[in-house]
Amino acid sequence: MYYDVFISGFGGQGILLAGQLLAEAAMEKGLEVTFFPSYGVEMRGGTARCTVILSDEAIGSPIVDSPLCIIAMNQPSLLRYQESLPEGGLFIVNSSLARLEDVQRDDILVRAVPISELAIELGNARLANMVALGAFAQCSGTLAPEEIVAALESVISARNRKLIPLNEKAILEGARYAREMPVFQMHEVEKRDGQTY
Amino acid sequence: MSSGKRILVKGNDAIGMGAIKAGCRFYFGYPITPQNEIPEFMSRELPKIGGEFVQAESELASINMVLGASALGVRSMTSSSSPGISLMQEGLSYMAGQELPAVVINVVRCGPGLGGIAASQGDYFQAVKGGGHGDYHLIVLAPASVQEMYDHTILAFDLADRYRNPAMVLADAILGQMQEPIVEREEEVQEPRKPWALTGAKGRPARHIKSLLLKEGELESHNRLLQEKYREVQKHEIRYNELEVEDAELVVAAFGTSARIARTAVSKARSEGLKVGLFRPVTLFPFPGERLRVLSARVKNFLVVEMNTGQMVEDVRLNVSGDASVFFYGRPGGAIPTPMEVYERIVKHYKEQ
């Protein structure tokens, strides 16, 4: 099994925390994992991106140019990264902040989730990263949403412990939405040439 | 590896954890991206265990504080990134001359000059050829994973003490910033006794630690002894990793992050039926040249991949047999070779045999 994903959005959307949580959950599941953040220039309102690689074997390159999945949390990410997806790649788009009509590719799987709106409905726009992870878990089939929930305790700092139940709710809500999306087809995790190690 | 619990750790933090595990209680440093998590970690953790963290006024001050602490016989460390390491070269030369152990971490960024904050391997020459003045060598380790960032830091302290010589961990910005699972070492680290350390001469003859040797012939014989020591290091401390070199027609040689990228390219080549292997020097000084010489009796094509314009490739060329071809692929200035680019080079040169 090999899977790699970019998570991209504005600084302040919790992009790096989402990547770290995914990495932690995968590690706790027993997988090998590499998490690589963009660094140095991230700030609130700027661009943040991270790469997470999951594998059941030793991971080679920490640098990925064409990941199996991209989570675009905003419009600039949608525009910038859609070309990076391979044919058949999974494009999870935060349709609250990115325009689906700007997706030019017809050879990828697009999953539109109103991530920010779902987060606001749960009571806080800052839950968007958790909603996104829930949708990712559901669409990619790499981890169960519950496995991501289980890693919350390791990633959320002690003083924010009380926020765990809300984050859990957001992850499960993202997964629920993705599961019930009318166009949803389970995305198979396929071994892809050049990415199967 | 021990059966301990895996924890997800950032590369720079793993260096701090390794240092503390190794018994380092004195850290001196000056901030610079992309290694700032190391001083941050040490400033948080050292006071808890009775250690000292000093943010020095400059890199010159940092390395000379390390020199001072080391002369007293304690394990001390500094860390920086390329421009800061350049500023430390005088101190490193002094410590090599004085035979003082210490650990210096270089989380390499791109240059020359202030350059940029992205990862690079442009400091290979500086690290392995002696960036300061005089005939000396550092012991240089090249980690390629977060686990090795931890392990190599501990190893660097052990080797530095064993040979009374500064040791450098040559990482890069990618290794510093990425997170991977590591398992911490359980068994205690043994620190050797240091009968040369300056601990106060009351009741015993005075000891001297100096690099100014003016008596006739004194400096030449000191240099001969240093060279003898470097030969011992070369004899005992060479480390490397190999992947599928047994039947390889082409071997990719790369260290650190480049070796990780090359690994993906090599696996892809293998899945396409090409007989390709990977050779990864773990120690850059001592360089595993002898092993390359042996390999090149059979393998005639080598591809060296680096994040620079060609530095380790010179050491590969020096060591392989005369009828072997050594090709190079590198990207400088913070550009990172992609696995696909390396794969394409493998295919190109594989056919050239």
Side-chain angles (χ1 to χ4, degrees), chain A residues 12-181:
Chain A
Q13 277 186 312
I15 302 299
L16 301 186
L17 181 67
Q20 244 182 317
L21 178 59
L22 176 59
E24 179 76 32
M27 182 189 75
E28 289 178 12
K29 190 185 163 81
L31 293 172
E32 294 300 328
V33 52
T34 298
F35 165 83
F36 184 61
S38 59
Y39 64 92
V41 289
E42 68 262 31
M43 60 185 82
R44 198 173 297 274
T47 302
R49 191 191 89 179
C50 67
T51 306
V52 183
I53 307 170
L54 322 173
S55 177
D56 53 11
E57 290 172 39
I59 292 169
S61 178
I63 302 303
V64 170
D65 39 6
S66 182
L68 289 163
C69 174
I70 294 173
I71 306 174
M73 293 292 280
N74 62 4
Q75 178 72 5
S77 304
L78 178 146
L79 294 175
R80 183 164 172 194
Y81 292 117
Q82 58 175 305
E83 286 309 316
S84 305
L85 280 166
E87 201 185 318
L90 174 63
F91 202 24
I92 298 177
V93 174
N94 178 5
S95 56
S96 312
L97 296 178
R99 286 190 300 271
L100 277 179
E101 57 269 32
D102 289 334
V103 177
Q104 309 287 331
R105 303 273 304 267
D106 55 8
D107 59 343
I108 56 176
L109 291 158
V110 181
R111 292 291 171 255
V113 181
I115 290 170
S116 298
E117 287 156 82
L118 291 173
I120 289 166
E121 278 168 30
L122 288 164
N124 194 333
R126 288 161 67 193
L127 294 166
N129 55 349
M130 298 295 145
V131 175
L133 273 188
F136 168 79
Q138 187 64 40
C139 296
S140 69
T142 48
L143 293 175
E146 293 73 20
E147 287 171 322
I148 294 180
V149 168
L152 278 169
E153 221 166 292
S154 311
V155 170
I156 292 192
S157 60
R159 72 190 161 89
N160 289 325
R161 232 356 89 82
K162 61 180 188 300
L163 297 174
I164 288 179
L166 196 53
N167 281 276
E168 171 175 352
K169 227 169 123 185
I171 293 166
L172 297 177
E173 175 62 7
R176 183 202 62 78
Y177 188 93
R179 194 165 52 239
E180 294 173 5
M181 271 192 300

Side-chain angles (χ1 to χ4, degrees), chain B residues 31-340:
Chain B
I32 182 170
T33 302
Q35 61 84 56
N36 283 325
E37 293 83 1
I38 304 175
E40 186 185 351
F41 181 93
M42 298 306 262
S43 68
R44 187 177 67 235
E45 299 300 324
L46 276 176
K48 294 181 191 167
I49 51 173
E52 289 289 343
F53 168 88
V54 178
Q55 180 172 320
E57 70 270 32
S58 71
E59 289 85 350
L60 268 77
S62 308
I63 194 71
N64 285 297
M65 289 176 186
V66 169
L67 185 156
S70 175
L72 304 185
V74 297
R75 284 190 160 179
S76 69
M77 178 172 99
T78 185
S79 63
S80 188
S81 180
S82 308
I85 297 291
S86 291
L87 289 166
M88 295 182 184
Q89 294 303 321
E90 181 193 47
L92 287 169
S93 169
Y94 275 57
M95 278 195 285
Q98 293 164 330
E99 296 195 82
L100 284 176
V103 170
V104 176
I105 309 292
N106 186 358
V107 183
V108 179
R109 57 189 257 177
C110 42
L114 265 185
I117 60 171
S120 164
Q121 296 181 324
D123 298 0
Y124 176 91
F125 280 153
Q126 185 195 55
V128 306
K129 308 290 181 190
H133 59 282
D135 279 333
Y136 78 94
H137 284 289
L138 304 177
I139 295 166
V140 183
L141 304 173
S145 65
V146 176
Q147 180 71 55
E148 284 189 347
M149 294 285 264
Y150 177 81
D151 294 341
H152 284 191
T153 301
I154 298 173
L155 178 62
F157 275 103
D158 287 343
L159 293 177
D161 276 349
R162 191 175 313 154
Y163 295 98
R164 286 186 61 185
N165 201 72
M168 177 175 281
V169 176
L170 192 72
D172 66 52
I174 291 174
L175 289 162
Q177 295 298 321
M178 73 187 194
Q179 298 185 17
E180 291 182 333
I182 72 164
V183 177
E184 290 180 86
R185 174 167 151 165
E186 279 162 17
E187 64 271 33
E188 289 306 309
V189 174
Q190 299 298 326
E191 277 189 61
R193 287 187 57 254
K194 294 178 178 173
W196 46 264
L198 306 184
T199 55
K202 196 173 180 185
R204 63 159 171 79
R207 296 166 182 166
H208 301 279
I209 291 178
K210 57 179 187 172
S211 64
L212 180 68
L213 302 171
L214 292 176
K215 270 190 236 153
E216 196 176 336
E218 197 181 11
L219 190 52
E220 183 180 9
S221 49
H222 179 59
N223 267 279
R224 297 274 180 224
L225 284 174
L226 289 179
Q227 294 303 316
E228 183 54 40
K229 177 169 84 177
Y230 303 143
R231 277 191 291 277
E232 283 295 301
V233 174
Q234 283 169 313
K235 206 162 121 190
H236 299 294
E237 306 301 345
I238 284 174
R239 291 165 171 81
Y240 56 86
N241 262 199
E242 291 176 343
L243 185 73
E244 306 200 77
V245 297
E246 296 75 18
D247 64 339
E249 305 266 349
L250 180 148
V251 166
V252 180
F255 70 94
T257 294
S258 292
R260 291 283 298 267
I261 295 166
R263 185 189 169 110
T264 295
V266 164
S267 301
K268 179 169 169 57
R270 277 277 166 185
S271 72
E272 308 279 324
L274 303 181
K275 291 179 178 170
V276 179
L278 178 65
F279 181 78
R280 173 169 80 91
V282 171
T283 49
L284 299 181
F285 184 87
F287 188 73
E290 172 61 17
R291 176 60 189 164
L292 277 171
R293 192 186 67 71
V294 170
L295 270 178
S296 67
R298 193 182 56 71
V299 182
K300 293 305 171 194
N301 277 2
F302 290 84
L303 170 64
V304 180
V305 178
E306 298 181 69
M307 281 143 49
N308 58 39
T309 52
Q311 299 193 16
M312 187 182 80
V313 64
E314 291 193 3
D315 287 327
V316 174
R317 288 202 174 108
L318 272 175
N319 284 286
V320 296
S321 73
D323 61 340
S325 302
V326 179
F327 305 99
F328 175 74
Y329 181 64
R331 294 190 63 181
I336 311 299
T338 67
M340 207 54 194

